Amino acid sequence: MANPDNPKGDGDNKTNGNGPGAEAPKPAAPGQGSMTGQANAGEGAGQQPAAGQAKAPPAMKILGQYLKDLSFENPNSPQSLSQQGQPEINVQVNVNAKPVGENQFEVELHLEAKATHDGKSMFAADLLYAGVFRLENVPQDALHPIVLVECPRMLFPFARQILADATRNGGFPPLMLDPIDFASMYQRRLAEQQKSQQASA
């Protein structure tokens, strides 16, 4: 995914083939900036109930989801549409998040896909899909992984369908991405960050 120190993401998650095996977002301690590995807790998140009150269960609600940006390039058509053989497909995955209200976060899922054959570009697709989530009664230590893992997991099927439709409308077979293991991505980046911090200590 992306560097937490860079809210735009570093786009370093790459894979060849039909599905992304992207690296994980670089996480930071809960309470820090954007979701290229960081997420801020809104006011009231993780607060303890008053004495004598029953603790309400954690809840996540999707307040809205939407397409923010989509581009598709087919620079060598119509010749690219008649290419024989399997193209090389590179996919990059990036996730960003930011607080937009009390206990509310906008989570962005950024997918980039490029296909080449014999060194020539066949297509390039760039998709930014987002949703606004409300997290209630979530413990502070669980807030960060929920924003980085569960929220993009819920957005992915919709972004995947949009990308498949875009490549099909471009004259190619629809690009059907394999499911992304956001949990493993998160854990890998967390380990990378800890290792980097230990090295610089």
Side-chain angles (χ1 to χ4, degrees), residues 88-110:
E88 179 181 351
I89 300 177
N90 179 274
V91 176
Q92 295 184 347
V93 182
N94 202 5
V95 179
N96 296 288
K98 61 182 178 182
V100 293
E102 184 175 354
N103 301 333
Q104 295 180 17
F105 301 87
E106 183 191 50
V107 179
E108 296 177 341
L109 178 58
H110 188 192

Side-chain angles (χ1 to χ4, degrees), residues 72-147:
F72 185 86
E73 298 179 11
N74 191 353
N76 293 311
S77 60
Q79 289 80 7
S80 59
L81 304 180
S82 60
Q83 291 285 352
Q84 301 296 320
Q86 183 71 23
E88 179 181 351
I89 300 177
N90 179 274
V91 176
Q92 295 184 347
V93 182
N94 202 5
V95 179
N96 296 288
K98 61 182 178 182
V100 293
E102 184 175 354
N103 301 333
Q104 295 180 17
F105 301 87
E106 183 191 50
V107 179
E108 296 177 341
L109 178 58
H110 188 192
L111 302 176
E112 294 181 84
K114 296 181 180 180
T116 58
H117 184 73
D118 291 337
K120 294 183 179 180
S121 175
M122 297 184 67
F123 68 79
D126 193 318
L127 169 65
L128 185 62
Y129 192 79
V132 175
F133 297 82
R134 176 184 291 156
L135 305 179
E136 299 176 337
N137 307 313
V138 175
Q140 184 68 30
D141 59 353
L143 183 64
H144 191 237
I146 287 177
V147 172

Side-chain angles (χ1 to χ4, degrees), residues 44 46-57 137:
Q47 288 184 347
Q48 297 298 320
Q53 292 182 350
K55 185 177 181 180
N137 307 313

Side-chain angles (χ1 to χ4, degrees), residues 131-188:
V132 175
F133 297 82
R134 176 184 291 156
L135 305 179
E136 299 176 337
N137 307 313
V138 175
Q140 184 68 30
D141 59 353
L143 183 64
H144 191 237
I146 287 177
V147 172
L148 289 175
V149 177
E150 297 304 326
C151 293
R153 180 181 290 163
M154 297 184 72
L155 295 175
F156 175 73
F158 302 94
R160 178 180 186 264
Q161 186 60 54
I162 294 172
L163 190 59
D165 289 343
T167 52
R168 182 192 61 199
N169 293 337
F172 301 95
L175 177 61
M176 305 301 292
L177 297 181
D178 292 334
I180 300 174
D181 189 346
F182 290 102
S184 293
M185 293 168 62
Y186 173 79
Q187 292 297 332
R188 285 199 299 269

